[in-house]
């Protein structure tokens, strides 16, 4: 029995090359509304889909459209699988790429700065709940479960699965369509 934690495909939204911290808040909103239309899944993702899993998804369009690109319809879409939000801090006059802002904000979040968003500890609690739901679905169906999710929350769920006794068969990559596989011992 396997649980597959897969990161979504590449979103269609790219936005401006450099933005201010104020513009970054809007950039994040646009990214969250973006789907992955036109991004073709790699053979590794297709092979995992061909194992016949139950499909589960985050409610964000980039996750749902990634499952659809694989030819799957989710049987469950739930906020518990949504990516952890970034805290946005204003730094007037500074223009960076959205990638660099995201790295800076995620580091702040990991250090405990979670102004107006879910804290790391709260995200860990949510990840524990998500892991239990995935385990229950795998046991009830006696089939693999494929979660189409996101980088940070998938890592937190993976950590929780391992603490519940699940063995990491393969580590998820950091890129789009990266997937980790976990098997009950």
């Amino acid at each position: 029995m396997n649980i597959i934690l897969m990161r979504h495909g590449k979103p269609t939204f790219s936005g401006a090359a450099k933005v201010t911290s104020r513009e970054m808040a809007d950039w994040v909103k646009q990214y969250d509304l973006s789907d992955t239309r036109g991004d073709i899944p790699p053979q590794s993702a297709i092979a995992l889909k061909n194992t016949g899993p139950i499909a589960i998804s985050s409610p964000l369009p980039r996750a749902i459209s990634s499952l659809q690109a694989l030819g799957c319809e989710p049987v469950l879409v739930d906020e518990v699988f949504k990516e952890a939000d970034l805290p946005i801090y204003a730094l007037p006059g500074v223009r960076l790429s959205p990638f660099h802002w995201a790295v800076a904000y995620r580091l702040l979040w990991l250090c405990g700065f979670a102004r107006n968003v879910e804290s790391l500890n709260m995200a860990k609690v949510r990840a524990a709940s998500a892991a239990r739901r995935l385990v229950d679905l795998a046991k009830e169906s006696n089939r693999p479960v494929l979660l189409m999710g996101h980088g940070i929350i998938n890592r937190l769920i993976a950590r929780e699965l391992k603490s519940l006794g699940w063995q990491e068969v393969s580590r998820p990559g950091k890129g789009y369509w990266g997937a980790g596989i976990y098997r009950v011992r």
Side-chain angles (χ1 to χ4, degrees):
M1 180 170 8
N2 290 339
I3 294 176
I4 303 160
L5 304 178
M6 187 177 292
R7 184 175 180 219
H8 58 80
K10 184 177 181 179
T12 54
F13 177 74
S14 59
K18 290 194 176 188
V19 295
T20 65
S21 58
R22 289 185 186 178
E23 293 167 333
M24 185 62 180
D26 185 56
W27 188 95
V28 169
K29 287 177 191 171
Q30 294 300 315
Y31 183 77
D32 281 348
L33 294 173
S34 182
D35 64 19
T36 60
R37 183 184 44 237
D39 189 31
I40 299 170
Q43 284 301 314
S44 58
I46 294 168
L48 290 172
K49 176 258 187 193
N50 288 340
T51 64
I54 294 172
I56 310 299
S57 184
S58 154
L60 294 175
R62 61 188 183 266
I64 293 170
S65 63
S66 294
L67 271 181
Q68 291 168 342
L70 283 173
C72 297
E73 284 298 321
V75 298
L76 174 66
V77 176
D78 197 301
E79 291 281 328
V80 75
F81 305 114
K82 183 178 171 285
E83 181 63 299
D85 291 327
L86 290 171
I88 306 293
Y89 292 91
L91 292 171
V94 178
R95 295 182 72 77
L96 298 173
S97 72
F99 171 80
H100 287 107
W101 279 120
V103 168
Y105 291 148
R106 187 59 74 201
L107 288 172
L108 287 168
W109 182 78
L110 289 169
C111 291
F113 296 95
R115 184 177 83 186
N116 299 324
V117 299
E118 171 185 54
S119 70
L120 175 58
N121 286 339
M122 290 168 38
K124 286 179 179 179
V125 169
R126 182 165 57 90
S129 175
R132 286 190 301 275
R133 289 189 73 185
L134 294 171
V135 168
D136 290 345
L137 284 165
K139 287 180 179 178
E140 289 168 13
S141 67
N142 202 28
R143 288 175 53 197
V145 173
L146 167 62
L147 168 64
M148 188 61 72
H150 310 276
I152 296 297
I153 196 65
N154 281 3
R155 283 185 190 89
L156 295 175
I157 293 169
R159 185 178 298 163
E160 188 62 28
L161 287 172
K162 289 189 275 187
S163 78
L164 293 172
W166 287 67
Q167 178 182 3
E168 186 174 67
V169 176
S170 69
R171 296 191 74 158
K174 294 184 183 193
Y176 298 120
W177 299 107
I181 302 171
Y182 303 84
R183 182 173 296 141
V184 70
R185 290 184 189 186

